[in-house]
Structure formats: structure tokens, C-alpha cells
Amino acid sequence: MTALPTGSTIGILGGGQLGRMLGVAAAQIGYRCLIYAPEENPCAAAVAAGHVRGDYDDVDALRDFAARCDVLTYEFENVPAAPLRALGDAVALHPNADALELAQDRLREKDYILSHGGRPADYREVDSRETLEAALDAIGVPAILKTRRFGYDGKGQVRIMSRNEAAAAWADIGKRPAVLEAMVAFEREFSIILARGHDGDTRVYPPPDNRHEDGILSRSIAPGTGLIAEQSAAAADLARKVAEALGYVGVLTFEFFASAEGPVFNEMAPRVHNSGHWTIEGAQCSQFENHIRAICGLPLGSTALTLPRVEMTNLIGIDGEEAQRWLETPGAHLHFYDKGEARPGRKMGHVTQLFTE
């Protein structure tokens, strides 16, 4: 692919904080971004060249938007794939619709990973109360029931600790098609974040140790040590294999459990990822810039750490005044997303700190 010249327009589907940080990275290397989102004032629009308000399933509106862009990408995986396929070859879409559709269905995703030599937790398809009972017979308890589509940060899922909780769990997820997963005994959670270019060149970031609270990422510490360091090569090999099979272009994230039996696949995200926010200051080329480089046909940048250790802390449910207190901490890099109301569980920003040892 011939690289897109500076001044070209990148269309970003989605207006959240990931789109905001993609927009900043694009501007730094000479590209302009347009945001497409249904919200009136998405936080990504504040740092973009423009904002088009429209529904993700409005093919006509998407077609008009695409006509103003030189390449399209997306900042979250709940954008429907069918309307994007309807655009045909009018404009390039990276990552492609195959990757998007795969990540939107937990059952298809796990089947695909299994077929490429990965190891997800034991799982069964659930589409009724009866199949839930059969799945529990096969997997046992405790287990986690997750909707096949949608859901993130702990949403769309419920733990089943005993068999008598099955009926309530099925009702809690709205009696929607689901997957039952066995609970995994693990030591740490980590992610593999890779960037892949049009030419197949692939770069992998040092895997961070991810700490969660109430199902939401709280901190990422890079590089992960101990069992994470031991298992990261095998996890990265799987991610590379899947990226190649999908003809993937852009940043791709795989989440894993580090267990005594080896890395256990949790889920994939066909996009830049919260567990990679530390790369803005902590890596020689951030995940956001590498995503822009990849989709625009530019050479990928180095994923090496800038200092030996980096910590990213999510600012969850706090307002701007609280966030600014981090500015009193020497060496703290504050990113506040300007998302409006601070609500419990809502990611409002993050802070990155770099350490020399």
C-alpha cells in the first residue's frame, strides 16, 4: 500500500476516549480526523477536525461520511458490521469487518481462538434455560454466564456460584444467547497489544500486569513480571497467528489469564485498548500512533519501554477537580477525557507514572 499523504482524513467511528486519543496521535503526525457518533457532544470531537452525528446502522449517513474520508477505523467493537460491509470498496476499513464481527460474538471468538491453537476457559453455548442447565452439568460451578454480544467492563455477565442461582442468572442477562465459561484459577491478568501493518510487519508491546476492581480495569503495570513474563511469548505467538489469519491492520489486543497451566485466553478487542494507555508516555511509539501509522500505510514505531517500569491508573467516577490533584504528584501524566458527568464506574481519565527502577 502507498502511504496516505499528510493532510489525509481519517474517519473514526465512535466518539469516546479511545477516539479522542487516536485523534491526538493522528494530528501529531499530520493527519486530520472526523468523528462519526450518535452523541451530540462526544469527547473525541473536541480534538478532531469535525464531528458527524449519525446512527451506526444508517447506511446512507455512513456512506456520506465515508465519502469525506481517506480511510475508516473504529474505536470500539459495538459498531454493527453489516452497515460497514454495505459501503463496499468506497473507502478502506481497518481493521477489517471480519475482525469486527468476530470480536462481537463471544462464542465465535472462542471457537476461532480454539481453532488456532489457543486455550480459552472451558465453555459451552447457551441459548435457553435448558441448555444452561446442560452447560452447568458439563462445566460445573462456579461459572460465569456471559451474553454472546455486547458487554464490557463486567457488563452483560453474571457469576453462578451454585446450581440454584441458574434461573436468576439467566434472567439477569435478559435470557439472551450466551456462553457459559468455567471459572479460571489464575495468578495474574495480562494483555498482549500488537500493531500490524499492511505489509505484515508486527510489533508487540511489553505485556502489562492488569489489576481489576469490580470488573473494571484499575491499573496496568508494564512490564508484567513472574508468570506473565514466562507466558507472554506463547500468548504473543497466538495473537500474531490470529492477526495474520484475519489479514489484520491496526492495533489488536488479546486479554489473558496467567495460570499454572499456561496462558488462558479471555477475549480480544480489535482496537486500541485501556490496558495500553500507558504507552503514550511509557513506550517509544504509543499504541494510538502505531494504529494511525498502520492504517495509513506508514512504518510502525518501536514498542520498547522508555523507562524500566510504567504504571497507568484509571480515574473512575471522579470529576475534573479531583483528577487535577494528580498534577501535584511529580512525574504524573494526567489525561482527563472531558466526558461530562462523573458517574460510578465511568472511566473519566487516567494517569501514567514512569519509574527508573
Side-chain angles (χ1 to χ4, degrees), residues 169-217:
W170 179 238
D172 282 347
I173 66 162
K175 301 180 180 180
R176 291 179 287 169
V179 176
L180 185 74
E181 296 179 14
M183 294 279 280
V184 176
F186 64 92
E187 182 177 308
R188 295 292 188 196
E189 296 181 70
F190 69 99
S191 49
I192 296 294
I193 303 167
L194 66 80
R196 186 175 188 273
H198 284 270
D199 59 357
D201 182 28
T202 302
R203 309 289 177 91
V204 177
Y205 288 91
D209 180 346
N210 298 326
R211 313 287 177 88
H212 292 77
E213 295 180 8
D214 298 324
I216 302 174
L217 182 66

Side-chain angles (χ1 to χ4, degrees), residues 19-337:
R20 182 185 179 96
M21 287 180 272
L22 284 170
V24 171
Q28 287 177 331
I29 56 174
Y31 295 94
R32 64 195 302 271
C33 290
L34 294 181
I35 303 299
Y36 184 96
E39 296 84 11
E40 185 175 357
N41 294 302
C43 71
V47 299
H51 166 222
V52 174
R53 190 177 183 188
D55 293 329
Y56 295 124
D57 57 0
D58 187 334
V59 175
D60 290 336
L62 285 168
R63 188 173 286 116
D64 290 342
F65 178 73
R68 300 172 58 186
C69 304
D70 296 295
V71 65
L72 291 182
T73 191
Y74 45 89
E75 59 113 37
F76 76 129
E77 60 268 40
N78 288 340
V79 177
L84 297 181
R85 288 192 182 280
L87 299 179
D89 298 326
V91 65
L93 172 69
H94 300 300
N96 59 41
D98 290 342
L100 179 61
E101 284 184 321
L102 183 64
Q104 289 176 342
D105 187 323
R106 284 190 171 102
L107 179 62
R108 282 190 58 204
E109 179 183 270
K110 292 177 186 299
D111 288 346
Y112 193 82
I113 294 300
L114 200 60
S115 72
H116 284 78
R119 188 166 68 88
D122 193 13
Y123 65 97
R124 295 292 187 280
E125 178 180 4
V126 172
D127 57 16
S128 66
R129 173 68 192 284
E130 291 71 28
T131 54
L132 173 56
E133 294 292 347
L136 287 166
D137 288 340
I139 290 178
V141 292
I144 305 177
L145 185 65
K146 299 180 179 180
T147 56
R148 282 182 61 170
R149 299 179 64 82
F150 305 109
Y152 59 92
D153 289 345
K155 300 178 178 67
Q157 57 186 268
V158 60
R159 293 189 178 192
I160 301 177
M161 305 304 293
S162 65
R163 289 297 294 261
N164 61 14
E165 295 175 357
W170 179 238
D172 282 347
I173 66 162
K175 301 180 180 180
R176 291 179 287 169
V179 176
L180 185 74
E181 296 179 14
M183 294 279 280
V184 176
F186 64 92
E187 182 177 308
R188 295 292 188 196
E189 296 181 70
F190 69 99
S191 49
I192 296 294
I193 303 167
L194 66 80
R196 186 175 188 273
H198 284 270
D199 59 357
D201 182 28
T202 302
R203 309 289 177 91
V204 177
Y205 288 91
D209 180 346
N210 298 326
R211 313 287 177 88
H212 292 77
E213 295 180 8
D214 298 324
I216 302 174
L217 182 66
S218 174
R219 279 198 307 157
S220 289
I221 305 165
T225 58
L227 206 56
I228 293 174
E230 294 172 19
Q231 298 183 2
S232 61
D237 285 346
L238 173 64
R240 287 191 190 94
K241 187 184 299 184
V242 170
E244 182 177 357
L246 289 170
Y248 197 94
V249 173
V251 167
L252 173 65
T253 307
F254 274 42
E255 296 182 31
F256 289 92
F257 300 110
S259 77
E261 289 73 39
V264 178
F265 171 83
N266 182 24
E267 62 185 24
M268 64 174 270
R271 54 171 171 81
V272 290
H273 196 260
N274 191 184
S275 66
H277 288 359
W278 61 268
T279 63
I280 297 174
E281 289 85 18
Q284 292 186 18
C285 184
S286 77
Q287 64 165 346
F288 302 100
E289 182 177 328
N290 259 335
H291 186 81
I292 298 299
R293 288 184 181 218
I295 68 174
C296 292
L298 299 170
L300 298 181
S302 171
T303 55
L305 292 170
T306 54
L307 283 176
R309 184 166 61 91
V310 188
E311 292 191 14
M312 185 280 296
T313 302
N314 268 332
L315 305 180
I316 301 171
I318 71 171
D319 61 24
E321 185 174 340
E322 291 177 277
Q324 287 181 356
R325 292 175 187 165
W326 273 97
L327 298 177
E328 300 171 5
T329 302
H333 300 270
L334 173 64
H335 298 259
F336 200 68
Y337 306 147

